[in-house]
Amino acid sequence: MTLQTIDRFGPNNRQTFTVNNIKRMSVYPQGIDEKIGTVSDILLDDRGQLRYLVLDLGMQIFGKKILLPASCARVSHKTNRVYVELTRKQAEALPEYNERTVLDNQYEEKLRAVYRTQAAQPGVSTSMYKMNEQGSQTLRLYEERLVANKNRFKAGEVAISKRIETETARVSVPIEKERVVIEQVTSADTGKPVALGEVDFTAGEVVHLEVYEETSDIHKQAFVRQEIRVKKLVEEQTVEAQEMLRREELEINTEGHPVVERVD
């Protein structure tokens, strides 16, 4: 499988877009604040999977570049650094890489042989070369997830009070009033003679009549017009968010005919 630089892959490839952010990051030994070099390029396989970081060691050794296996590096976007289990002295002893190098399986096997040779040297304790005949290694795969939380805050305040409004009202009340009417009428006995003994002329005879009338009694009185109840209701709504999430996938590359069994 021939390796290619990241520039040969399209910008729409999600994997290459994410990996491209590693370029120009500084490389440091794990636990040591001594810069080894800078990531100058990235090598991918035909499927766009990350295989090697091209590490520029800087001007101290005339701009020498080496290949660093991706499995030996830990990228920290927080510090914008790449950490490796490799000292600067060990990095300088690795074979030089340049753009004319043919990146095929044969070259990779030679490169792996160099790493294995260095791992066998006394005093070299970096676990990056130990491909485990006696023990095992653990590789963590990370992924990003969306975590949804809720924050409660005061959105406002409602003040409910009463005010008095005035208006002019009109009302009509019919009332009754009695009046006395004196009417002279003609009786059937009018003009008939009356015997002297039958008539008693009496002065001061009076007829009493009580006369009534109504007056209006208009006044104001308060009534319950309506009743207001104030309460709060909780309305629920769903807020959606969309983010681009990253996830690390396991990549297994084999040479020859090894037996690899993957147990999930």
Side-chain angles (χ1 to χ4, degrees), residues 253-260:
N253 298 296
T254 61
E255 295 294 335
H257 303 284
V259 177
V260 179

Side-chain angles (χ1 to χ4, degrees), residues 145-211:
R145 298 179 182 178
L146 285 181
V147 179
N149 295 316
K150 297 189 294 185
N151 296 318
R152 184 179 178 88
F153 66 96
K154 182 177 179 180
E157 184 174 329
V158 177
I160 302 174
S161 61
K162 299 190 300 181
R163 72 174 185 272
I164 298 176
E165 294 185 354
T166 60
E167 63 178 3
T168 300
R170 297 180 181 274
V171 63
S172 299
V173 179
I175 58 175
E176 294 180 350
K177 179 186 294 188
E178 296 178 343
R179 62 188 177 94
V180 177
V181 177
I182 301 175
E183 181 180 4
Q184 183 176 351
V185 297
T186 301
S187 171
D189 295 332
T190 302
K192 290 181 179 182
V194 179
L196 294 176
E198 296 179 356
V199 178
D200 185 12
F201 289 91
T202 303
E205 184 177 356
V206 180
V207 176
H208 292 276
L209 292 177
E210 293 183 350
V211 180

Side-chain angles (χ1 to χ4, degrees), residues 250-264:
L250 187 64
E251 178 184 359
I252 302 175
N253 298 296
T254 61
E255 295 294 335
H257 303 284
V259 177
V260 179
E261 180 180 356
R262 179 172 177 176
V263 180
D264 294 327

Side-chain angles (χ1 to χ4, degrees), residues 62-102:
F62 306 105
K64 179 180 179 180
K65 296 180 180 179
I66 63 171
L67 291 185
L68 180 69
S71 60
C72 304
R74 182 177 66 85
V75 178
S76 173
H77 292 280
K78 182 177 180 180
T79 61
N80 200 34
R81 290 181 177 182
V82 177
Y83 295 97
V84 296
E85 295 185 6
L86 181 72
T87 65
R88 183 174 185 86
K89 183 177 180 180
Q90 293 168 352
E92 292 174 354
L94 294 174
E96 184 175 4
Y97 163 80
N98 59 62
E99 287 73 9
R100 296 184 300 274
T101 304
V102 179

Side-chain angles (χ1 to χ4, degrees), residues 57 62 79 92 110 119 174 215 225 231 243 255 258:
L57 299 181
F62 306 105
T79 61
E92 292 174 354
K110 290 180 180 180
T215 60
R225 183 169 66 89
K231 61 181 180 179
E243 293 288 344
E255 295 294 335

Side-chain angles (χ1 to χ4, degrees), residues 4-11 16 20 23-24 40-44:
Q4 304 179 53
T5 60
I6 193 172
D7 295 334
R8 293 179 177 271
F9 287 83
T16 58
N20 194 45
K23 290 180 68 173
R24 292 176 295 278
S40 63
D41 211 338
I42 298 170
L43 301 182
L44 310 174

